[in-house]
Amino acid sequence: GDSVTQMEGPVTLSEEAFLTINCTYTATGYPSLFWYVQYPGEGLQLLLKATKADDKGSNKGFEATYRKETTSFHLEKGSVQVSDSAVYFCALSDQGNAGKSTFGDGTTLTVKP
Amino acid sequence: DTAVSQTPKYLVTQMGNDKSIKCEQNLGHDTMYWYKQDSKKFLKIMFSYNNKELIINETVPNRFSPKSPDKAHLNLHINSLELGDSAVYFCASSQRSRGRGEQYFGPGTRLTVT
């Protein structure tokens, strides 16, 4: 079945550091890929998405590129801020599987001033 | 204005009780979901309804029963609550028929069973 593996946390960075959170996936079809962010005490919010190979999703300075050859969708940001502290989830959606989304285990990011 | 809303936000109850959580979405989506998030932040899908039809029913104790009175609402009823049911429960919705699978989440209901 489908699966998503993302970098284990927690990750602690200083403000303005470069961020990478690795995500790889296994899927039988042609999934769409997503990054969701969960701020403390809130629900998940869609951060960015990519629907086909080589697509780049971007939002709020975050980027991720859909790499079919390496089955990866790594999240990057050039300069993190304290306000980026949150839990980040990589996910895939396979429309052929009842539209079910498969989520990674989440990576907790803490950014210190 | 709220896209996906849940009530209540907090629920504290004793073992053995029965409780319900309600969810409503005003996005016009055709699919709704219930997820359980444990203390380690792991997210596990429980149920999904598409146009009021149950399409995903993961391995969940049958003490949990979802009900979808219409496309905009999905409720979760839990019988005979146990300590292990303590978690945050999230409702979500998506437009399965035309969308690419992105989901919109509610703010969560933190259930504490004592």
Side-chain angles (χ1 to χ4, degrees), chain A residues 7-21 37-40 62 79-88 106-113, chain B residues 41:
Chain A
M7 187 167 108
E8 281 190 31
V11 174
T12 303
L13 296 173
S14 297
E15 209 165 20
E16 298 185 4
F18 185 86
L19 169 71
T20 299
I21 301 177
V37 58
Q38 183 181 23
Y39 298 105
F62 291 89
S79 175
V80 293
Q81 306 300 312
V82 172
S83 57
D84 294 326
S85 298
V87 183
Y88 292 82
T107 301
T108 299
L109 169 67
T110 302
V111 180
K112 298 193 170 179
Chain B
K41 303 294 187 184

Side-chain angles (χ1 to χ4, degrees), chain A residues 29-49:
Chain A
Y30 299 93
S32 296
L33 302 176
F34 307 89
W35 277 101
Y36 290 85
V37 58
Q38 183 181 23
Y39 298 105
E42 298 183 10
L44 280 71
Q45 304 173 22
L46 179 67
L47 180 59
L48 53 84
K49 67 180 180 183

Side-chain angles (χ1 to χ4, degrees), chain B residues 7-106:
Chain B
T7 54
K9 189 163 174 59
Y10 300 97
L11 187 52
V12 180
T13 188
Q14 292 184 329
M15 283 174 55
N17 284 348
D18 303 338
K19 290 292 178 187
S20 292
I21 306 172
K22 295 186 176 183
C23 177
E24 177 181 0
Q25 56 96 1
N26 62 6
L27 297 166
H29 287 166
D30 58 10
T31 305
M32 297 183 73
Y33 311 81
W34 278 112
Y35 289 89
K36 179 181 181 180
Q37 186 176 47
D38 65 20
S39 58
K40 294 184 179 179
K41 303 294 187 184
F42 297 149
L43 202 61
K44 180 184 173 185
I45 188 161
M46 302 172 71
F47 303 103
S48 176
Y49 273 76
N50 175 255
N51 287 321
K52 295 169 53 181
E53 180 188 347
L54 182 65
I55 58 170
I56 295 175
N57 186 356
E58 295 293 295
T59 307
V60 175
N62 57 15
R63 298 182 293 104
F64 290 79
S65 53
K67 280 193 172 55
S68 181
D70 56 57
K71 284 198 312 183
H73 296 85
L74 180 61
N75 304 324
L76 182 66
H77 188 75
I78 315 170
N79 288 326
S80 303
L81 278 155
E82 300 177 357
L83 292 176
D85 298 333
S86 295
V88 181
Y89 291 84
F90 287 102
C91 176
S93 72
S94 70
Q95 183 59 28
R96 182 185 170 203
S97 60
R98 293 191 308 277
R100 290 294 185 177
E102 62 259 38
Q103 297 186 12
Y104 294 79
F105 284 77

